[in-house]
Amino acid sequence: MLSAGLNGSQIDGDGPAGYHSWGFTGGIGTAVQWHRNISTSIELLYSQRGSVQKGEMKNGAVERFKINTDYIEMPVCLNVNDNKALTVGVGISPAVLLNYRIAYQLTDAATGTVNTTPPVCLANPMKEYDVSGLVKMQFRCFRSLSIGAKYQYSLISLRPPCEGDTRANGQYHNVIGFYLQYKI
């Protein structure tokens, strides 16, 4: 199977909330039918995730940053289908970090001074791997074409949390994905 789509993502524990970071996801995979309604699937995907913040802080300063991460991930899922149009799956997705980029800007409201050095909690490197739990749902549109949605959440902390408006005990990828899948 071939798949391509979009990830809407955020990083829980970095301060902001909301799925404001969008990126590509896509790759190849295969599935094995074990029973009329049960299959397992494994995919090899390129996945872009991240976080975007633009907001005013309590002291009046304006903080903006954009974090982009690129991963190669291998989701393994147990799938249940109704043999008509609906497939629901649950699984685990180990991933390896390929690239990490951050653009940061803090503007002091009183002086207009601009600082481009990110705080330590954002400047620290992320772990070189991630393991996410995932759930997905697909609807078959045509014989070989499906449209799907998935939700992934990191099971291990990527790095320590930022101070401030966060209840997280670390930083975790939080991803909602939408994709098309073509079965060859």
Side-chain angles (χ1 to χ4, degrees):
M1 55 192 165
L2 303 172
S3 65
L6 284 174
N7 284 335
S9 62
Q10 66 180 8
I11 298 175
D12 288 351
D14 70 352
Y19 298 92
H20 302 297
S21 179
W22 291 91
F24 173 79
T25 184
I28 60 172
T30 189
V32 176
Q33 196 78 25
W34 297 106
H35 181 269
R36 182 170 54 102
N37 299 77
I38 298 174
S39 66
T40 54
S41 61
I42 186 167
E43 296 178 86
L44 185 61
L45 302 174
Y46 171 75
S47 180
Q48 294 177 322
R49 309 175 194 171
S51 181
V52 174
Q53 160 74 14
K54 180 183 176 186
E56 190 171 325
M57 300 174 76
K58 291 178 183 174
N59 63 3
V62 176
E63 181 181 51
R64 297 177 185 184
F65 64 82
K66 182 173 185 174
I67 297 171
N68 293 316
T69 59
D70 301 325
Y71 285 90
I72 294 292
E73 64 179 309
M74 191 178 299
V76 178
C77 293
L78 176 64
N79 306 300
V80 177
N81 65 65
D82 68 358
N83 273 342
K84 293 181 183 170
L86 177 66
T87 301
V88 177
V90 62
I92 192 162
S93 185
V96 175
L97 181 66
L98 298 176
N99 194 13
Y100 170 78
R101 297 172 309 279
I102 182 169
Y104 182 85
Q105 180 178 327
L106 178 67
T107 306
D108 187 299
T111 64
T113 307
V114 175
N115 179 5
T116 58
T117 304
V120 173
C121 66
L122 297 177
N124 282 340
M126 286 193 169
K127 288 184 179 170
E128 294 181 4
Y129 58 90
D130 180 38
V131 179
S132 297
L134 72 92
V135 294
K136 67 179 183 177
M137 184 180 300
Q138 286 179 209
F139 294 97
R140 189 169 49 242
C141 304
F142 302 104
R143 181 180 171 115
S144 297
L145 186 66
S146 298
I147 186 167
K150 65 181 176 179
Y151 175 75
Q152 288 180 238
Y153 197 87
S154 295
L155 300 174
I156 56 173
S157 174
L158 304 167
R159 60 184 174 197
C162 289
E163 298 293 323
D165 297 332
T166 183
R167 292 176 291 212
N169 61 357
Q171 292 185 35
Y172 301 87
H173 283 295
N174 186 341
V175 182
I176 296 175
F178 303 96
Y179 59 92
L180 288 173
Q181 188 174 76
Y182 180 75
K183 291 186 180 176
I184 299 172

